[in-house]
């Protein structure tokens, strides 16, 4: 999820619009996380999601294998976390 500041910056207006009608939960890490937290102090954040997904994969796959399945793994972890959160 450390996609860089450019990606996070482009997400700001999208999150602003979504915040008008939804409770947006933001997943990020690194400097992008800092930027998004400063812009959205009232949103919930899933930090360290990327590191937890990668550290729970044993045995460690090759980079090529990981890249092929990376988004699927992140999506599964995100869905698991969201389903365990209390609804508001």
């Amino acid at each position: 999820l450390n996609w860089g500041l450019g990606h996070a910056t482009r997400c700001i207006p999208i999150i602003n619009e979504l915040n008008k009608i939804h409770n947006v939960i933001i997943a990020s890490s690194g400097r992008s996380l800092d930027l998004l937290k400063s812009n959205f102090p009232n949103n919930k954040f899933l930090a360290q999601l990327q590191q937890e997904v990668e550290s729970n994969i044993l045995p460690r796959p090759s980079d090529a294998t990981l890249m092929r399945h990376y988004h699927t793994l992140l999506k599964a972890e995100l869905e698991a976390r969201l389903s365990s959160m209390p609804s508001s």
Side-chain angles (χ1 to χ4, degrees):
L1 295 176
N2 191 5
W3 293 323
L5 292 175
H7 187 84
T9 302
R10 289 186 296 277
C11 288
I12 291 172
I14 297 167
I15 296 169
N16 276 325
E17 288 301 311
L18 289 171
N19 271 339
K20 292 178 183 178
I21 55 174
H22 299 286
N23 295 320
V24 178
I25 300 170
I26 302 167
S28 188
S29 61
R31 295 185 327 169
S32 298
L33 175 64
D34 297 336
L35 174 70
L36 293 170
K37 277 188 170 182
S38 71
N39 279 274
F40 303 104
N42 298 320
N43 285 72
K44 290 182 182 178
F45 284 84
L46 297 177
Q48 309 304 323
L49 180 64
Q50 175 181 356
Q51 292 84 356
E52 290 179 25
V53 168
E54 290 177 358
S55 67
N56 288 325
I57 301 172
L58 295 174
R60 179 83 178 151
S62 69
D63 287 343
T65 300
L66 181 60
M67 289 310 295
R68 277 197 310 272
H69 302 288
Y70 194 71
H71 289 97
T72 303
L73 294 167
L74 281 175
K75 182 179 177 191
E77 181 67 20
L78 179 60
E79 288 173 352
R81 287 195 185 205
L82 291 175
S83 68
S84 68
M85 294 179 114
S87 58
S88 44

